[in-house]
């Protein structure tokens, strides 16, 4: 039996498959911004392939849900663009060795994004409560109930910077620069944001990440060039 037909038959007869509404109900506690549009966009980009019933309704398996959790976690906690995530998943699906960019989550689909408490963040980063409060006060780290691996990396970096006499208050300009960069990105995605279709709205976040990646390349190059002057 052809694979597509087999999947369709399975969609008709399996009670374990979920509707798009049921998938949203499962994932929204972890990803509050998730929407029907986002799920459809991920399907259009071929990151997940739910089966279709004879009536055309999408049906998601437990593996589909875990795949979505993995994708959304990488986007939220590691800011990886979908093209990088898709290539990684394509390699895994084909049995090819694959490695995500340094610092990203492990490759297992069953590994959910870590959420840690404030006390755990302090313990893992080696920061003092006062340093974390300073980081929150200068908007380098959000005031939140739970934190992710990206916050651990930021606070750990602040710990190391403090050893060189650089305090969170000295980094306010970084926050201001980030806000200016956000303004550039918002202007660039405005034409897409004005689209009324669901795919267009979902595309905004992905395009913003792609632009941010390119800005990061330029920023890193400028800093490296400036550091070169210290060697002269």
């Amino acid at each position: 039996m052809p694979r597509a037909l087999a999947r369709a038959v399975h969609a008709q007869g399996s009670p374990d498959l979920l509707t798009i509404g049921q998938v949203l109900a499962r994932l929204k506690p972890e990803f509050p911004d998730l929407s029907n549009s986002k799920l459809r966009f991920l399907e259009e980009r071929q990151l997940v392939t739910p089966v279709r019933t004879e009536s055309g309704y999408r049906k998601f398996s437990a593996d589909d849900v875990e795949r979505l959790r993995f994708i959304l976690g990488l986007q939220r906690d590691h800011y990886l663009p979908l093209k990088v995530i898709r290539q990684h998943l394509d390699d895994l699906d084909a049995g090819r060795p694959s490695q995500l960019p340094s610092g990203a989550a492990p490759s297992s689909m069953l590994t959910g994004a870590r959420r840690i408490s404030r006390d755990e963040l302090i313990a893992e980063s080696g920061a003092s409560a006062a340093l974390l409060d300073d980081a929150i006060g200068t908007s380098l780290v959000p005031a939140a109930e739970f934190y992710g691996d990206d916050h651990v990396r930021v606070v750990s970096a602040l710990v190391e910077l403090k050893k060189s006499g650089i305090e969170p208050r000295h980094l306010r300009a970084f926050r201001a620069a980030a806000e200016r960069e956000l303004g550039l990105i918002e202007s660039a995605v405005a034409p897409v944001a004005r689209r009324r279709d669901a795919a267009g709205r979902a595309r905004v976040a992905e395009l913003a990440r792609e632009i941010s990646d390119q800005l990061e390349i330029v920023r890193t190059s400028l800093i490296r060039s400036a550091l070169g002057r210290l060697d002269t």
Side-chain angles (χ1 to χ4, degrees), residues 198-214:
R201 292 193 299 271
R203 170 65 176 152
V204 169
E206 176 60 14
L207 179 58
R209 285 189 177 89
E210 291 174 357
I211 295 171
S212 178
D213 287 344
Q214 301 308 315

Side-chain angles (χ1 to χ4, degrees), residues 30-31 66-80 85 105 111-115 209:
E30 297 175 63
F31 308 98
E66 289 306 319
R67 189 180 181 96
L68 286 166
R69 182 177 282 114
F70 179 74
I71 293 166
L72 295 168
L74 287 178
Q75 283 194 301
R76 179 191 63 192
D77 299 320
H78 303 284
Y79 311 104
L80 292 179
I85 298 173
T111 302
R114 241 177 15 125
R115 314 305 290 166
R209 285 189 177 89

Side-chain angles (χ1 to χ4, degrees), residues 181-210:
E181 184 173 306
L182 178 61
L184 286 175
I185 294 173
E186 287 177 337
S187 296
V189 302
V192 180
R194 286 194 290 268
R195 289 175 54 182
R196 299 299 182 184
D197 59 289
R201 292 193 299 271
R203 170 65 176 152
V204 169
E206 176 60 14
L207 179 58
R209 285 189 177 89
E210 291 174 357

Side-chain angles (χ1 to χ4, degrees), residues 137-196:
T138 51
S139 299
L140 298 175
V141 175
E145 183 177 358
F146 295 105
Y147 295 91
D149 287 331
D150 191 56
H151 300 118
V152 174
R153 288 193 294 273
V154 170
V155 178
S156 297
L158 293 175
V159 171
E160 294 302 314
L161 289 169
K162 184 176 175 64
K163 295 176 183 178
S164 299
I166 300 176
E167 304 277 352
R169 59 190 173 85
H170 298 140
L171 302 177
R172 287 192 176 94
F174 279 59
R175 181 65 185 180
E179 293 295 335
R180 289 194 296 272
E181 184 173 306
L182 178 61
L184 286 175
I185 294 173
E186 287 177 337
S187 296
V189 302
V192 180
R194 286 194 290 268
R195 289 175 54 182
R196 299 299 182 184

Side-chain angles (χ1 to χ4, degrees), residues 11-199:
Q12 300 298 325
S14 175
D16 299 326
L17 295 177
L18 305 174
T19 66
I20 194 169
Q22 290 170 320
V23 172
L24 285 171
R26 289 196 179 192
L27 294 178
K28 261 187 167 296
E30 297 175 63
F31 308 98
D33 295 333
L34 185 61
S35 64
N36 287 1
S37 298
K38 176 68 172 181
L39 288 179
R40 293 191 183 99
F41 178 66
L42 293 176
E43 181 185 0
E44 288 178 5
R45 300 300 290 269
Q46 299 180 331
L47 280 107
V48 64
T49 54
V51 297
R52 294 284 187 138
T53 67
E54 291 181 356
S55 302
Y57 293 106
R58 294 173 178 83
K59 290 286 188 175
F60 296 81
S61 68
D63 287 344
D64 289 332
V65 175
E66 289 306 319
R67 189 180 181 96
L68 286 166
R69 182 177 282 114
F70 179 74
I71 293 166
L72 295 168
L74 287 178
Q75 283 194 301
R76 179 191 63 192
D77 299 320
H78 303 284
Y79 311 104
L80 292 179
L82 286 182
K83 61 183 178 182
V84 172
I85 298 173
R86 180 181 172 184
Q87 183 59 58
H88 178 64
L89 293 174
D90 286 346
D91 289 341
L92 292 179
D93 291 341
R96 295 188 295 266
S98 180
Q99 185 174 0
L100 287 164
S102 177
S107 300
S108 172
M109 292 296 173
L110 300 179
T111 302
R114 241 177 15 125
R115 314 305 290 166
I116 62 175
S117 68
R118 172 190 166 94
D119 289 342
E120 289 171 324
L121 173 59
I122 289 173
E124 290 199 26
S125 65
S128 65
L131 178 61
L132 179 56
D133 287 339
D134 287 345
I136 293 172
T138 51
S139 299
L140 298 175
V141 175
E145 183 177 358
F146 295 105
Y147 295 91
D149 287 331
D150 191 56
H151 300 118
V152 174
R153 288 193 294 273
V154 170
V155 178
S156 297
L158 293 175
V159 171
E160 294 302 314
L161 289 169
K162 184 176 175 64
K163 295 176 183 178
S164 299
I166 300 176
E167 304 277 352
R169 59 190 173 85
H170 298 140
L171 302 177
R172 287 192 176 94
F174 279 59
R175 181 65 185 180
E179 293 295 335
R180 289 194 296 272
E181 184 173 306
L182 178 61
L184 286 175
I185 294 173
E186 287 177 337
S187 296
V189 302
V192 180
R194 286 194 290 268
R195 289 175 54 182
R196 299 299 182 184
D197 59 289

